[in-house]
Amino acid sequence: TQLLEQSPQFLSIQEGENLTVYCNSSSVFSSLQWYRQEPGEGPVLLVTVVTGGEVKKLKRLTFQFGDARKDSSLHITAAQPGDTGLYLCVAQETSGSRLTFGEGTQLTVNP
Amino acid sequence: ETGVTQTPRHLVMGMTNKKSLKCEQHLGHNAMYWYKQSAKKPLELMFVYNFKEQTENNSVPSRFSPECPNSSHLFLHLHTLQPEDSALYLCASSPPGLLSLSSYNEQFFGPGTRLTVL
């Protein structure tokens, strides 16, 4: 299984701040998904990106897939306490159907 | 609420116990999965069932035994577990097509069972 590195692993910020989470690999992926997992719950899909250079926006969240489809970023503008959770990137390898999971970024937004 | 339910939500068991985890979905999905989530580690895919047939077993120890009697139900039978097996066990389902080369279907996760092995 190819390693999918997420950074930072932990992030604690104040409400209203902006932040960016990164997901990087040396492998090329056919698609990449971002999930958010809140305490006591399972991960929930936020977005899927499939085209190199693709940018998707979901309210205050902006997702980007790298041109080479090896990396992705998630930017949150004016973070709110409700954004608190574990953000996971999950990528599908181009060579098959296997999914690769990042370790996750634990985000805490303090009021 | 994703439509995937798991029971129990919490389980404490000794190393000699036998217990089972249950997962249920009525979303019409044909693929179901068991994952292990440990602190500071990526999600580990354990088993994949597609149309009730096991299509993937990621070198999981035999003390974990999955069962998929139909497309809506998935079980994980536990026997003689070790303390290092303590983790959150997540079940997920997805619509048909995830296992094809070009698909990237969403996985719907249950809330998980928090397992503690004493």
PDB file of all heavy atoms in Angstrom, chain A residues 46-85:
ATOM      1  N   LEU A  46     -16.833  14.476   2.039  1.00  0.00           N
ATOM      2  CA  LEU A  46     -16.985  15.900   1.747  1.00  0.00           C
ATOM      3  C   LEU A  46     -16.935  16.157   0.247  1.00  0.00           C
ATOM      4  O   LEU A  46     -17.753  16.905  -0.289  1.00  0.00           O
ATOM      5  CB  LEU A  46     -15.863  16.696   2.433  1.00  0.00           C
ATOM      6  CG  LEU A  46     -15.835  16.662   3.964  1.00  0.00           C
ATOM      7  CD1 LEU A  46     -14.593  17.388   4.471  1.00  0.00           C
ATOM      8  CD2 LEU A  46     -17.089  17.294   4.528  1.00  0.00           C
ATOM      9  N   VAL A  47     -15.941  15.548  -0.416  1.00  0.00           N
ATOM     10  CA  VAL A  47     -15.761  15.824  -1.837  1.00  0.00           C
ATOM     11  C   VAL A  47     -14.937  14.722  -2.493  1.00  0.00           C
ATOM     12  O   VAL A  47     -14.184  14.014  -1.819  1.00  0.00           O
ATOM     13  CB  VAL A  47     -15.035  17.182  -2.014  1.00  0.00           C
ATOM     14  CG1 VAL A  47     -13.534  17.029  -1.736  1.00  0.00           C
ATOM     15  CG2 VAL A  47     -15.244  17.759  -3.402  1.00  0.00           C
ATOM     16  N   THR A  48     -15.121  14.564  -3.799  1.00  0.00           N
ATOM     17  CA  THR A  48     -14.274  13.704  -4.624  1.00  0.00           C
ATOM     18  C   THR A  48     -13.671  14.551  -5.730  1.00  0.00           C
ATOM     19  O   THR A  48     -14.399  15.302  -6.393  1.00  0.00           O
ATOM     20  CB  THR A  48     -15.089  12.567  -5.254  1.00  0.00           C
ATOM     21  OG1 THR A  48     -15.684  11.784  -4.214  1.00  0.00           O
ATOM     22  CG2 THR A  48     -14.204  11.666  -6.111  1.00  0.00           C
ATOM     23  N   VAL A  49     -12.367  14.457  -5.938  1.00  0.00           N
ATOM     24  CA  VAL A  49     -11.713  15.157  -7.041  1.00  0.00           C
ATOM     25  C   VAL A  49     -11.069  14.122  -7.943  1.00  0.00           C
ATOM     26  O   VAL A  49     -10.517  13.126  -7.472  1.00  0.00           O
ATOM     27  CB  VAL A  49     -10.674  16.188  -6.545  1.00  0.00           C
ATOM     28  CG1 VAL A  49     -11.375  17.397  -5.956  1.00  0.00           C
ATOM     29  CG2 VAL A  49      -9.736  15.587  -5.511  1.00  0.00           C
ATOM     30  N   VAL A  50     -11.172  14.346  -9.259  1.00  0.00           N
ATOM     31  CA  VAL A  50     -10.695  13.323 -10.196  1.00  0.00           C
ATOM     32  C   VAL A  50      -9.788  13.885 -11.286  1.00  0.00           C
ATOM     33  O   VAL A  50      -9.064  13.122 -11.935  1.00  0.00           O
ATOM     34  CB  VAL A  50     -11.881  12.590 -10.862  1.00  0.00           C
ATOM     35  CG1 VAL A  50     -12.711  11.891  -9.810  1.00  0.00           C
ATOM     36  CG2 VAL A  50     -12.742  13.539 -11.656  1.00  0.00           C
ATOM     37  N   THR A  51      -9.823  15.174 -11.511  1.00  0.00           N
ATOM     38  CA  THR A  51      -9.056  15.774 -12.611  1.00  0.00           C
ATOM     39  C   THR A  51      -7.883  16.581 -12.056  1.00  0.00           C
ATOM     40  O   THR A  51      -8.068  17.384 -11.137  1.00  0.00           O
ATOM     41  CB  THR A  51      -9.952  16.699 -13.451  1.00  0.00           C
ATOM     42  OG1 THR A  51     -11.100  15.966 -13.896  1.00  0.00           O
ATOM     43  CG2 THR A  51      -9.190  17.236 -14.646  1.00  0.00           C
ATOM     44  N   GLY A  52      -6.695  16.379 -12.612  1.00  0.00           N
ATOM     45  CA  GLY A  52      -5.527  17.133 -12.179  1.00  0.00           C
ATOM     46  C   GLY A  52      -5.792  18.628 -12.266  1.00  0.00           C
ATOM     47  O   GLY A  52      -6.281  19.107 -13.290  1.00  0.00           O
ATOM     48  N   GLY A  53      -5.480  19.347 -11.196  1.00  0.00           N
ATOM     49  CA  GLY A  53      -5.705  20.785 -11.163  1.00  0.00           C
ATOM     50  C   GLY A  53      -7.111  21.191 -10.761  1.00  0.00           C
ATOM     51  O   GLY A  53      -7.409  22.385 -10.631  1.00  0.00           O
ATOM     52  N   GLU A  54      -7.960  20.203 -10.544  1.00  0.00           N
ATOM     53  CA  GLU A  54      -9.363  20.492 -10.214  1.00  0.00           C
ATOM     54  C   GLU A  54      -9.477  21.204  -8.879  1.00  0.00           C
ATOM     55  O   GLU A  54      -8.778  20.882  -7.933  1.00  0.00           O
ATOM     56  CB  GLU A  54     -10.151  19.186 -10.179  1.00  0.00           C
ATOM     57  CG  GLU A  54     -11.636  19.337  -9.890  1.00  0.00           C
ATOM     58  CD  GLU A  54     -12.371  18.008  -9.945  1.00  0.00           C
ATOM     59  OE1 GLU A  54     -11.716  16.963 -10.143  1.00  0.00           O
ATOM     60  OE2 GLU A  54     -13.596  18.012  -9.774  1.00  0.00           O
ATOM     61  N   VAL A  55     -10.389  22.170  -8.835  1.00  0.00           N
ATOM     62  CA  VAL A  55     -10.692  22.892  -7.600  1.00  0.00           C
ATOM     63  C   VAL A  55     -12.193  22.787  -7.352  1.00  0.00           C
ATOM     64  O   VAL A  55     -12.988  23.070  -8.252  1.00  0.00           O
ATOM     65  CB  VAL A  55     -10.284  24.373  -7.681  1.00  0.00           C
ATOM     66  CG1 VAL A  55     -10.711  25.108  -6.402  1.00  0.00           C
ATOM     67  CG2 VAL A  55      -8.784  24.511  -7.901  1.00  0.00           C
ATOM     68  N   LYS A  56     -12.544  22.388  -6.151  1.00  0.00           N
ATOM     69  CA  LYS A  56     -13.959  22.313  -5.782  1.00  0.00           C
ATOM     70  C   LYS A  56     -14.183  23.098  -4.505  1.00  0.00           C
ATOM     71  O   LYS A  56     -13.340  23.070  -3.598  1.00  0.00           O
ATOM     72  CB  LYS A  56     -14.408  20.862  -5.592  1.00  0.00           C
ATOM     73  CG  LYS A  56     -14.661  20.117  -6.881  1.00  0.00           C
ATOM     74  CD  LYS A  56     -15.353  18.791  -6.621  1.00  0.00           C
ATOM     75  CE  LYS A  56     -15.724  18.108  -7.918  1.00  0.00           C
ATOM     76  NZ  LYS A  56     -16.406  16.813  -7.692  1.00  0.00           N
ATOM     77  N   LYS A  57     -15.337  23.770  -4.452  1.00  0.00           N
ATOM     78  CA  LYS A  57     -15.657  24.552  -3.257  1.00  0.00           C
ATOM     79  C   LYS A  57     -16.936  24.027  -2.624  1.00  0.00           C
ATOM     80  O   LYS A  57     -17.906  23.710  -3.319  1.00  0.00           O
ATOM     81  CB  LYS A  57     -15.799  26.029  -3.618  1.00  0.00           C
ATOM     82  CG  LYS A  57     -14.485  26.686  -4.011  1.00  0.00           C
ATOM     83  CD  LYS A  57     -14.608  28.189  -4.073  1.00  0.00           C
ATOM     84  CE  LYS A  57     -13.231  28.808  -4.361  1.00  0.00           C
ATOM     85  NZ  LYS A  57     -13.276  30.296  -4.347  1.00  0.00           N
ATOM     86  N   LEU A  58     -16.907  23.965  -1.310  1.00  0.00           N
ATOM     87  CA  LEU A  58     -18.061  23.542  -0.535  1.00  0.00           C
ATOM     88  C   LEU A  58     -18.191  24.544   0.601  1.00  0.00           C
ATOM     89  O   LEU A  58     -17.558  24.408   1.645  1.00  0.00           O
ATOM     90  CB  LEU A  58     -17.848  22.122  -0.005  1.00  0.00           C
ATOM     91  CG  LEU A  58     -18.987  21.478   0.783  1.00  0.00           C
ATOM     92  CD1 LEU A  58     -20.191  21.278  -0.121  1.00  0.00           C
ATOM     93  CD2 LEU A  58     -18.530  20.140   1.351  1.00  0.00           C
ATOM     94  N   LYS A  59     -18.980  25.579   0.354  1.00  0.00           N
ATOM     95  CA  LYS A  59     -19.146  26.683   1.315  1.00  0.00           C
ATOM     96  C   LYS A  59     -17.769  27.258   1.653  1.00  0.00           C
ATOM     97  O   LYS A  59     -17.105  27.820   0.790  1.00  0.00           O
ATOM     98  CB  LYS A  59     -19.890  26.210   2.561  1.00  0.00           C
ATOM     99  CG  LYS A  59     -21.318  25.748   2.274  1.00  0.00           C
ATOM    100  CD  LYS A  59     -22.041  25.358   3.537  1.00  0.00           C
ATOM    101  CE  LYS A  59     -23.455  24.918   3.215  1.00  0.00           C
ATOM    102  NZ  LYS A  59     -24.210  24.487   4.419  1.00  0.00           N
ATOM    103  N   ARG A  60     -17.301  27.135   2.890  1.00  0.00           N
ATOM    104  CA  ARG A  60     -16.011  27.720   3.282  1.00  0.00           C
ATOM    105  C   ARG A  60     -14.835  26.777   3.028  1.00  0.00           C
ATOM    106  O   ARG A  60     -13.693  27.122   3.369  1.00  0.00           O
ATOM    107  CB  ARG A  60     -16.075  28.085   4.773  1.00  0.00           C
ATOM    108  CG  ARG A  60     -17.070  29.207   5.104  1.00  0.00           C
ATOM    109  CD  ARG A  60     -17.153  29.454   6.609  1.00  0.00           C
ATOM    110  NE  ARG A  60     -17.742  28.300   7.303  1.00  0.00           N
ATOM    111  CZ  ARG A  60     -17.054  27.366   7.920  1.00  0.00           C
ATOM    112  NH1 ARG A  60     -15.733  27.426   7.973  1.00  0.00           N
ATOM    113  NH2 ARG A  60     -17.661  26.360   8.512  1.00  0.00           N
ATOM    114  N   LEU A  61     -15.095  25.636   2.450  1.00  0.00           N
ATOM    115  CA  LEU A  61     -14.046  24.657   2.197  1.00  0.00           C
ATOM    116  C   LEU A  61     -13.681  24.668   0.716  1.00  0.00           C
ATOM    117  O   LEU A  61     -14.556  24.633  -0.138  1.00  0.00           O
ATOM    118  CB  LEU A  61     -14.520  23.247   2.593  1.00  0.00           C
ATOM    119  CG  LEU A  61     -14.458  22.835   4.064  1.00  0.00           C
ATOM    120  CD1 LEU A  61     -15.279  23.749   4.955  1.00  0.00           C
ATOM    121  CD2 LEU A  61     -14.870  21.387   4.238  1.00  0.00           C
ATOM    122  N   THR A  62     -12.378  24.709   0.433  1.00  0.00           N
ATOM    123  CA  THR A  62     -11.885  24.661  -0.931  1.00  0.00           C
ATOM    124  C   THR A  62     -10.927  23.489  -1.062  1.00  0.00           C
ATOM    125  O   THR A  62      -9.969  23.379  -0.294  1.00  0.00           O
ATOM    126  CB  THR A  62     -11.154  25.963  -1.308  1.00  0.00           C
ATOM    127  OG1 THR A  62     -12.048  27.068  -1.157  1.00  0.00           O
ATOM    128  CG2 THR A  62     -10.678  25.908  -2.760  1.00  0.00           C
ATOM    129  N   PHE A  63     -11.196  22.625  -2.014  1.00  0.00           N
ATOM    130  CA  PHE A  63     -10.398  21.429  -2.235  1.00  0.00           C
ATOM    131  C   PHE A  63      -9.677  21.563  -3.572  1.00  0.00           C
ATOM    132  O   PHE A  63     -10.265  22.015  -4.558  1.00  0.00           O
ATOM    133  CB  PHE A  63     -11.291  20.193  -2.283  1.00  0.00           C
ATOM    134  CG  PHE A  63     -12.142  20.011  -1.069  1.00  0.00           C
ATOM    135  CD1 PHE A  63     -13.382  20.643  -0.973  1.00  0.00           C
ATOM    136  CD2 PHE A  63     -11.729  19.214  -0.017  1.00  0.00           C
ATOM    137  CE1 PHE A  63     -14.184  20.486   0.139  1.00  0.00           C
ATOM    138  CE2 PHE A  63     -12.520  19.049   1.105  1.00  0.00           C
ATOM    139  CZ  PHE A  63     -13.747  19.692   1.185  1.00  0.00           C
ATOM    140  N   GLN A  64      -8.416  21.147  -3.595  1.00  0.00           N
ATOM    141  CA  GLN A  64      -7.664  21.184  -4.841  1.00  0.00           C
ATOM    142  C   GLN A  64      -6.935  19.869  -5.046  1.00  0.00           C
ATOM    143  O   GLN A  64      -6.361  19.307  -4.109  1.00  0.00           O
ATOM    144  CB  GLN A  64      -6.655  22.344  -4.822  1.00  0.00           C
ATOM    145  CG  GLN A  64      -5.911  22.510  -6.133  1.00  0.00           C
ATOM    146  CD  GLN A  64      -5.217  23.850  -6.248  1.00  0.00           C
ATOM    147  OE1 GLN A  64      -5.188  24.626  -5.301  1.00  0.00           O
ATOM    148  NE2 GLN A  64      -4.668  24.139  -7.408  1.00  0.00           N
ATOM    149  N   PHE A  65      -6.946  19.389  -6.276  1.00  0.00           N
ATOM    150  CA  PHE A  65      -6.216  18.197  -6.671  1.00  0.00           C
ATOM    151  C   PHE A  65      -5.008  18.669  -7.465  1.00  0.00           C
ATOM    152  O   PHE A  65      -5.144  19.463  -8.385  1.00  0.00           O
ATOM    153  CB  PHE A  65      -7.112  17.313  -7.534  1.00  0.00           C
ATOM    154  CG  PHE A  65      -6.721  15.862  -7.591  1.00  0.00           C
ATOM    155  CD1 PHE A  65      -5.801  15.304  -6.717  1.00  0.00           C
ATOM    156  CD2 PHE A  65      -7.295  15.028  -8.533  1.00  0.00           C
ATOM    157  CE1 PHE A  65      -5.465  13.963  -6.769  1.00  0.00           C
ATOM    158  CE2 PHE A  65      -6.976  13.676  -8.594  1.00  0.00           C
ATOM    159  CZ  PHE A  65      -6.061  13.155  -7.718  1.00  0.00           C
ATOM    160  N   GLY A  66      -3.816  18.205  -7.117  1.00  0.00           N
ATOM    161  CA  GLY A  66      -2.618  18.649  -7.798  1.00  0.00           C
ATOM    162  C   GLY A  66      -2.628  18.323  -9.282  1.00  0.00           C
ATOM    163  O   GLY A  66      -3.282  17.376  -9.717  1.00  0.00           O
ATOM    164  N   ASP A  67      -1.886  19.107 -10.043  1.00  0.00           N
ATOM    165  CA  ASP A  67      -1.838  18.916 -11.493  1.00  0.00           C
ATOM    166  C   ASP A  67      -1.417  17.490 -11.862  1.00  0.00           C
ATOM    167  O   ASP A  67      -1.916  16.917 -12.828  1.00  0.00           O
ATOM    168  CB  ASP A  67      -0.865  19.912 -12.125  1.00  0.00           C
ATOM    169  CG  ASP A  67      -1.388  21.334 -12.062  1.00  0.00           C
ATOM    170  OD1 ASP A  67      -2.611  21.509 -11.881  1.00  0.00           O
ATOM    171  OD2 ASP A  67      -0.579  22.272 -12.187  1.00  0.00           O
ATOM    172  N   ALA A  68      -0.486  16.946 -11.091  1.00  0.00           N
ATOM    173  CA  ALA A  68       0.025  15.607 -11.377  1.00  0.00           C
ATOM    174  C   ALA A  68      -0.783  14.517 -10.693  1.00  0.00           C
ATOM    175  O   ALA A  68      -0.445  13.332 -10.786  1.00  0.00           O
ATOM    176  CB  ALA A  68       1.488  15.506 -10.944  1.00  0.00           C
ATOM    177  N   ARG A  69      -1.822  14.905 -10.009  1.00  0.00           N
ATOM    178  CA  ARG A  69      -2.706  13.972  -9.284  1.00  0.00           C
ATOM    179  C   ARG A  69      -1.943  13.146  -8.246  1.00  0.00           C
ATOM    180  O   ARG A  69      -2.234  11.964  -8.036  1.00  0.00           O
ATOM    181  CB  ARG A  69      -3.459  13.056 -10.256  1.00  0.00           C
ATOM    182  CG  ARG A  69      -4.518  13.827 -11.054  1.00  0.00           C
ATOM    183  CD  ARG A  69      -5.329  12.909 -11.956  1.00  0.00           C
ATOM    184  NE  ARG A  69      -4.537  12.414 -13.054  1.00  0.00           N
ATOM    185  CZ  ARG A  69      -4.498  11.145 -13.440  1.00  0.00           C
ATOM    186  NH1 ARG A  69      -5.181  10.223 -12.818  1.00  0.00           N
ATOM    187  NH2 ARG A  69      -3.757  10.793 -14.474  1.00  0.00           N
ATOM    188  N   LYS A  70      -0.956  13.788  -7.609  1.00  0.00           N
ATOM    189  CA  LYS A  70      -0.225  13.120  -6.540  1.00  0.00           C
ATOM    190  C   LYS A  70      -0.508  13.751  -5.178  1.00  0.00           C
ATOM    191  O   LYS A  70      -0.087  13.225  -4.147  1.00  0.00           O
ATOM    192  CB  LYS A  70       1.282  13.228  -6.787  1.00  0.00           C
ATOM    193  CG  LYS A  70       1.783  12.463  -7.984  1.00  0.00           C
ATOM    194  CD  LYS A  70       3.292  12.621  -8.099  1.00  0.00           C
ATOM    195  CE  LYS A  70       3.839  11.841  -9.273  1.00  0.00           C
ATOM    196  NZ  LYS A  70       5.313  11.973  -9.363  1.00  0.00           N
ATOM    197  N   ASP A  71      -1.194  14.884  -5.177  1.00  0.00           N
ATOM    198  CA  ASP A  71      -1.390  15.573  -3.917  1.00  0.00           C
ATOM    199  C   ASP A  71      -2.692  16.362  -3.950  1.00  0.00           C
ATOM    200  O   ASP A  71      -3.272  16.610  -5.016  1.00  0.00           O
ATOM    201  CB  ASP A  71      -0.221  16.515  -3.636  1.00  0.00           C
ATOM    202  CG  ASP A  71       0.022  17.477  -4.786  1.00  0.00           C
ATOM    203  OD1 ASP A  71      -0.653  18.521  -4.840  1.00  0.00           O
ATOM    204  OD2 ASP A  71       0.864  17.157  -5.645  1.00  0.00           O
ATOM    205  N   SER A  72      -3.120  16.744  -2.763  1.00  0.00           N
ATOM    206  CA  SER A  72      -4.356  17.505  -2.654  1.00  0.00           C
ATOM    207  C   SER A  72      -4.278  18.384  -1.424  1.00  0.00           C
ATOM    208  O   SER A  72      -3.491  18.125  -0.503  1.00  0.00           O
ATOM    209  CB  SER A  72      -5.552  16.564  -2.548  1.00  0.00           C
ATOM    210  OG  SER A  72      -6.772  17.280  -2.441  1.00  0.00           O
ATOM    211  N   SER A  73      -5.075  19.430  -1.439  1.00  0.00           N
ATOM    212  CA  SER A  73      -5.137  20.304  -0.272  1.00  0.00           C
ATOM    213  C   SER A  73      -6.582  20.649   0.038  1.00  0.00           C
ATOM    214  O   SER A  73      -7.453  20.633  -0.839  1.00  0.00           O
ATOM    215  CB  SER A  73      -4.323  21.587  -0.498  1.00  0.00           C
ATOM    216  OG  SER A  73      -4.901  22.337  -1.557  1.00  0.00           O
ATOM    217  N   LEU A  74      -6.794  20.931   1.303  1.00  0.00           N
ATOM    218  CA  LEU A  74      -8.106  21.359   1.792  1.00  0.00           C
ATOM    219  C   LEU A  74      -7.894  22.664   2.547  1.00  0.00           C
ATOM    220  O   LEU A  74      -7.129  22.707   3.508  1.00  0.00           O
ATOM    221  CB  LEU A  74      -8.684  20.293   2.724  1.00  0.00           C
ATOM    222  CG  LEU A  74      -9.759  20.727   3.737  1.00  0.00           C
ATOM    223  CD1 LEU A  74     -10.959  21.326   3.028  1.00  0.00           C
ATOM    224  CD2 LEU A  74     -10.167  19.562   4.604  1.00  0.00           C
ATOM    225  N   HIS A  75      -8.533  23.705   2.092  1.00  0.00           N
ATOM    226  CA  HIS A  75      -8.416  25.013   2.734  1.00  0.00           C
ATOM    227  C   HIS A  75      -9.762  25.379   3.339  1.00  0.00           C
ATOM    228  O   HIS A  75     -10.795  25.282   2.682  1.00  0.00           O
ATOM    229  CB  HIS A  75      -7.991  26.067   1.709  1.00  0.00           C
ATOM    230  CG  HIS A  75      -7.804  27.424   2.300  1.00  0.00           C
ATOM    231  ND1 HIS A  75      -6.672  27.780   3.000  1.00  0.00           N
ATOM    232  CD2 HIS A  75      -8.615  28.513   2.306  1.00  0.00           C
ATOM    233  CE1 HIS A  75      -6.785  29.035   3.410  1.00  0.00           C
ATOM    234  NE2 HIS A  75      -7.945  29.500   2.999  1.00  0.00           N
ATOM    235  N   ILE A  76      -9.728  25.783   4.599  1.00  0.00           N
ATOM    236  CA  ILE A  76     -10.941  26.229   5.277  1.00  0.00           C
ATOM    237  C   ILE A  76     -10.788  27.710   5.610  1.00  0.00           C
ATOM    238  O   ILE A  76      -9.796  28.122   6.234  1.00  0.00           O
ATOM    239  CB  ILE A  76     -11.218  25.419   6.563  1.00  0.00           C
ATOM    240  CG1 ILE A  76     -11.355  23.936   6.234  1.00  0.00           C
ATOM    241  CG2 ILE A  76     -12.487  25.926   7.245  1.00  0.00           C
ATOM    242  CD1 ILE A  76     -11.608  23.046   7.450  1.00  0.00           C
ATOM    243  N   THR A  77     -11.754  28.462   5.201  1.00  0.00           N
ATOM    244  CA  THR A  77     -11.774  29.905   5.465  1.00  0.00           C
ATOM    245  C   THR A  77     -12.671  30.193   6.660  1.00  0.00           C
ATOM    246  O   THR A  77     -13.761  29.635   6.778  1.00  0.00           O
ATOM    247  CB  THR A  77     -12.310  30.658   4.240  1.00  0.00           C
ATOM    248  OG1 THR A  77     -11.516  30.327   3.095  1.00  0.00           O
ATOM    249  CG2 THR A  77     -12.286  32.156   4.461  1.00  0.00           C
ATOM    250  N   ALA A  78     -12.190  31.062   7.544  1.00  0.00           N
ATOM    251  CA  ALA A  78     -12.981  31.490   8.709  1.00  0.00           C
ATOM    252  C   ALA A  78     -13.539  30.291   9.455  1.00  0.00           C
ATOM    253  O   ALA A  78     -14.756  30.112   9.554  1.00  0.00           O
ATOM    254  CB  ALA A  78     -14.092  32.435   8.266  1.00  0.00           C
ATOM    255  N   ALA A  79     -12.644  29.473   9.960  1.00  0.00           N
ATOM    256  CA  ALA A  79     -13.031  28.224  10.612  1.00  0.00           C
ATOM    257  C   ALA A  79     -14.001  28.463  11.776  1.00  0.00           C
ATOM    258  O   ALA A  79     -13.937  29.479  12.470  1.00  0.00           O
ATOM    259  CB  ALA A  79     -11.787  27.494  11.113  1.00  0.00           C
ATOM    260  N   GLN A  80     -14.883  27.507  11.942  1.00  0.00           N
ATOM    261  CA  GLN A  80     -15.875  27.557  13.012  1.00  0.00           C
ATOM    262  C   GLN A  80     -15.752  26.309  13.883  1.00  0.00           C
ATOM    263  O   GLN A  80     -15.250  25.277  13.411  1.00  0.00           O
ATOM    264  CB  GLN A  80     -17.279  27.637  12.408  1.00  0.00           C
ATOM    265  CG  GLN A  80     -17.494  28.887  11.574  1.00  0.00           C
ATOM    266  CD  GLN A  80     -18.861  28.930  10.917  1.00  0.00           C
ATOM    267  OE1 GLN A  80     -19.681  28.033  11.111  1.00  0.00           O
ATOM    268  NE2 GLN A  80     -19.120  29.970  10.152  1.00  0.00           N
ATOM    269  N   PRO A  81     -16.209  26.376  15.122  1.00  0.00           N
ATOM    270  CA  PRO A  81     -16.120  25.195  15.996  1.00  0.00           C
ATOM    271  C   PRO A  81     -16.745  23.949  15.395  1.00  0.00           C
ATOM    272  O   PRO A  81     -16.293  22.829  15.638  1.00  0.00           O
ATOM    273  CB  PRO A  81     -16.864  25.650  17.251  1.00  0.00           C
ATOM    274  CG  PRO A  81     -16.637  27.125  17.312  1.00  0.00           C
ATOM    275  CD  PRO A  81     -16.674  27.563  15.862  1.00  0.00           C
ATOM    276  N   GLY A  82     -17.750  24.120  14.571  1.00  0.00           N
ATOM    277  CA  GLY A  82     -18.389  22.986  13.906  1.00  0.00           C
ATOM    278  C   GLY A  82     -17.501  22.296  12.888  1.00  0.00           C
ATOM    279  O   GLY A  82     -17.825  21.201  12.428  1.00  0.00           O
ATOM    280  N   ASP A  83     -16.380  22.919  12.540  1.00  0.00           N
ATOM    281  CA  ASP A  83     -15.430  22.296  11.611  1.00  0.00           C
ATOM    282  C   ASP A  83     -14.516  21.307  12.326  1.00  0.00           C
ATOM    283  O   ASP A  83     -13.759  20.579  11.678  1.00  0.00           O
ATOM    284  CB  ASP A  83     -14.563  23.357  10.940  1.00  0.00           C
ATOM    285  CG  ASP A  83     -15.370  24.297  10.055  1.00  0.00           C
ATOM    286  OD1 ASP A  83     -16.361  23.846   9.457  1.00  0.00           O
ATOM    287  OD2 ASP A  83     -15.009  25.498   9.979  1.00  0.00           O
ATOM    288  N   THR A  84     -14.585  21.289  13.637  1.00  0.00           N
ATOM    289  CA  THR A  84     -13.746  20.375  14.424  1.00  0.00           C
ATOM    290  C   THR A  84     -13.995  18.933  14.009  1.00  0.00           C
ATOM    291  O   THR A  84     -15.146  18.510  13.849  1.00  0.00           O
ATOM    292  CB  THR A  84     -14.036  20.548  15.927  1.00  0.00           C
ATOM    293  OG1 THR A  84     -13.588  21.850  16.335  1.00  0.00           O
ATOM    294  CG2 THR A  84     -13.323  19.493  16.751  1.00  0.00           C
ATOM    295  N   GLY A  85     -12.912  18.197  13.826  1.00  0.00           N
ATOM    296  CA  GLY A  85     -13.039  16.798  13.456  1.00  0.00           C
ATOM    297  C   GLY A  85     -11.749  16.275  12.868  1.00  0.00           C
ATOM    298  O   GLY A  85     -10.749  16.997  12.762  1.00  0.00           O
TER     299      GLY A  85
END
